[in-house]
Amino acid sequence: MKLVAAAKVRRAQEAVISGRPFSESLIEVLYSINEQLQSEDVDVPLTSIRPVKKVALVVITGDRGLCGGFNNAVLRKVETRIVELKDLGLEYTVISVGKKGNSYFNRRPSVLVDRFIEGGSFPTAKEAQVIADDVFSLFVSEEVDKVELLYTKFVSLIKSDPVIHTLLPLSAKGEVCDVSGKCVDASDDEFFRLTSKGGKLSVERDRVKANKAGFLPNMEFEQDPVQIIDALMPLYLNNQILRALQESLASELAARMNAMSSATDNAVELHKSLSNAYNRERQAKITGEILEIVAGAEALS
């Protein structure tokens, strides 16, 4: 299972790392255009910031276990966020993605769940679009006033962090932050790449640098900026949800690889300790039999 997870995590990690530059550039374009529209009287539904009365939580978990505390970490994050919302007097609804999250919320009827979605073996744009359509309808119909993504952000093969990512509304701040105001888009992100050297798995340390360049203040758009935002918002929703699914899968596979490695080490240690105990018992029995034979021989003599 460790080798299978190691083979899959390479592909998942490549998808995460290669998709981040496009995702960050798309966010910057949208935020820059939206920031320029703040001085104009325009109506873009997905950018309208209204008083929050109800929050939709899109929770992304894994489909399988045997991956350490991966699923428990993000579910604890959800429970903490639900308590925070209740303390603020806000309503909430949950969109659960992943079999582990679905079974968790099915056992807790007190948690309000809008929809259960089962993920595939590898995230696709089609799968992300299903979630995006549900999120879009909830926000545009004003059933919810804010949408948050809760998933596990892939940091490295040995580290992953559950995060809260505000998906909607699109604010004019210019960066994607969690609810505590901390940006979840790393501009200088360090990660570990899994390689094989000499027939053995090894880990190399790499660093990804994102060069960010904003719009010029005197830039003019050929099309109406509202039309540009309307065209890019579906792409933004799909891209951000797909990115969260990819990050979550990479984190799950890395956690499973580490969990199976620890299980293997524990099994080897257990085998060693049991072998030592068995050898001590066998040696003690042989020694006792020898002493009995020697004592019998002395008695006959």
Side-chain angles (χ1 to χ4, degrees), residues 167-241:
L167 186 63
L168 291 173
L170 186 69
S171 67
K173 189 174 180 181
E175 60 182 9
V176 176
C177 300
D178 60 13
V179 291
S180 62
K182 182 179 179 181
C183 181
V184 299
D185 284 327
S187 60
D188 196 329
D189 190 10
E190 185 177 69
F191 69 98
F192 295 81
R193 185 179 300 275
L194 188 68
T195 60
S196 57
K197 292 183 178 180
K200 296 183 179 180
L201 295 177
S202 62
V203 175
E204 291 182 350
R205 186 188 302 262
D206 289 334
R207 186 173 291 272
V208 174
K209 294 185 179 180
N211 297 322
K212 298 187 176 182
F215 283 179
L216 297 175
N218 59 349
M219 180 175 290
E220 296 182 0
F221 297 96
E222 183 176 345
Q223 287 181 304
D224 185 3
V226 176
Q227 294 180 352
I228 298 176
I229 287 188
D230 285 338
L232 289 180
M233 281 306 293
L235 179 60
Y236 162 78
L237 285 177
N238 186 288
N239 176 262
Q240 292 304 300
I241 294 174

Side-chain angles (χ1 to χ4, degrees), residues 69-112:
F70 167 77
N71 290 307
N72 290 334
V74 68
L75 290 173
R76 282 197 302 268
K77 191 81 170 180
V78 175
E79 293 288 355
T80 302
R81 183 58 179 156
I82 289 176
V83 171
E84 292 175 355
L85 294 175
K86 288 181 177 179
D87 292 341
L88 293 172
L90 301 177
E91 299 179 12
Y92 72 91
T93 186
V94 173
I95 299 175
S96 178
V97 183
K99 293 181 180 179
K100 285 298 179 180
N102 294 349
S103 61
Y104 177 85
F105 292 120
N106 275 324
R107 296 193 302 268
R108 289 162 176 79
S110 60
V111 179
L112 304 176

Side-chain angles (χ1 to χ4, degrees), residues 109-299:
S110 60
V111 179
L112 304 176
V113 180
D114 178 75
R115 186 176 181 183
F116 295 99
I117 301 174
E118 291 192 3
S121 57
F122 198 81
T124 61
K126 183 178 180 180
E127 179 184 342
Q129 192 59 46
V130 173
I131 306 171
D133 290 341
D134 197 18
V135 167
F136 180 84
S137 61
L138 286 174
F139 189 81
V140 173
S141 63
E142 298 189 4
E143 294 183 41
V144 299
D145 306 303
K146 186 180 183 183
V147 181
E148 296 177 353
L149 276 173
L150 289 91
Y151 65 98
T152 306
K153 183 182 176 71
F154 179 78
V155 180
S156 71
L157 290 173
I158 56 177
K159 183 182 178 182
S160 57
D161 298 321
V163 296
I164 300 178
H165 176 139
T166 300
L167 186 63
L168 291 173
L170 186 69
S171 67
K173 189 174 180 181
E175 60 182 9
V176 176
C177 300
D178 60 13
V179 291
S180 62
K182 182 179 179 181
C183 181
V184 299
D185 284 327
S187 60
D188 196 329
D189 190 10
E190 185 177 69
F191 69 98
F192 295 81
R193 185 179 300 275
L194 188 68
T195 60
S196 57
K197 292 183 178 180
K200 296 183 179 180
L201 295 177
S202 62
V203 175
E204 291 182 350
R205 186 188 302 262
D206 289 334
R207 186 173 291 272
V208 174
K209 294 185 179 180
N211 297 322
K212 298 187 176 182
F215 283 179
L216 297 175
N218 59 349
M219 180 175 290
E220 296 182 0
F221 297 96
E222 183 176 345
Q223 287 181 304
D224 185 3
V226 176
Q227 294 180 352
I228 298 176
I229 287 188
D230 285 338
L232 289 180
M233 281 306 293
L235 179 60
Y236 162 78
L237 285 177
N238 186 288
N239 176 262
Q240 292 304 300
I241 294 174
L242 178 60
R243 175 182 174 179
L245 292 172
Q246 291 173 339
E247 299 253 7
S248 181
L249 177 64
S251 301
E252 178 186 359
L253 292 173
R256 180 171 292 113
M257 186 181 68
N258 292 327
M260 292 302 99
S261 178
S262 299
T264 302
D265 295 341
N266 292 337
V268 170
E269 185 64 28
L270 179 62
H271 179 268
K272 182 178 179 180
S273 61
L274 290 177
S275 297
N276 290 337
Y278 169 77
N279 289 333
R280 284 195 297 269
E281 290 293 331
R282 183 169 63 87
Q283 186 176 7
K285 186 176 181 180
I286 293 174
T287 302
E289 291 176 353
I290 292 175
L291 291 176
E292 290 177 359
I293 293 173
V294 171
E298 290 180 353

